[in-house]
Amino acid sequence: QVQLVESGGGLVQAGGSLRLSCAASGRTFSSYGMGWFRQAPGKEREFVARISWSGGYRYYSDSVKGRFTISRDNGKNTLYLQMNSLKPEDTAVYYCACRLADYCSGDGCDRLKSSYDYWGQGTQVTVSS
């Protein structure tokens, strides 16, 4: 069983920055593939970014590429999402997700909710215009 707890959300003006954290339980955090998703009101939960166990592979959705950075500290069992140049359309509940296997099979599988095994409770990010 893996428990994930997000923090760092809040209210920020457009153009501002936030850093989200996700604290994970489990002695083998360093072997997990990790990702971030978000869900805006009335919309489906969508993929934001994902990172391999070593941090050597990172993949972003087109909507956040160049503005968001995913990273991890395996010594602290923590996943991060640095969000810069925030836009009102980034407003959503942000969730971290854990995959017990570092990689998944199938084209585009990183973007699928079903390829992740555990989820946090989410943290609200609101960007005002």
Side-chain angles (χ1 to χ4, degrees):
Q1 186 78 7
V2 177
Q3 291 186 325
L4 304 172
V5 180
E6 301 96 335
S7 61
L11 174 64
V12 64
Q13 288 188 332
S17 298
L18 281 175
R19 188 175 82 155
L20 306 183
S21 299
C22 173
S25 65
R27 293 176 292 175
T28 56
F29 173 80
S30 60
S31 68
Y32 302 155
M34 300 294 297
W36 287 99
F37 284 71
R38 67 186 182 186
Q39 188 167 15
K43 295 188 176 181
E44 293 288 322
R45 192 172 300 188
E46 66 173 3
F47 170 79
V48 174
R50 98 94 164 169
I51 188 168
S52 63
W53 73 270
S54 67
Y57 174 77
R58 308 182 195 199
Y59 174 55
Y60 299 92
S61 69
D62 288 344
S63 61
V64 307
K65 194 178 300 181
R67 299 188 297 122
F68 291 10
T69 302
I70 188 171
S71 62
R72 65 192 296 165
D73 185 335
N74 289 337
K76 295 182 178 180
N77 280 17
T78 303
L79 175 73
Y80 302 101
L81 185 68
Q82 177 66 43
M83 306 185 295
N84 298 330
S85 302
L86 283 160
K87 305 175 181 180
E89 51 263 45
D90 294 318
T91 295
V93 177
Y94 283 70
Y95 298 89
C96 70
C98 168
R99 178 189 302 137
L100 298 181
D102 193 19
Y103 287 91
C104 57
S105 60
D107 291 340
C109 65
D110 281 332
R111 309 178 69 88
L112 300 178
K113 298 186 295 292
S114 59
S115 73
Y116 295 85
D117 302 301
Y118 296 97
W119 294 83
Q121 84 290 346
T123 185
Q124 176 70 47
V125 172
T126 303
V127 184
S128 63
S129 58

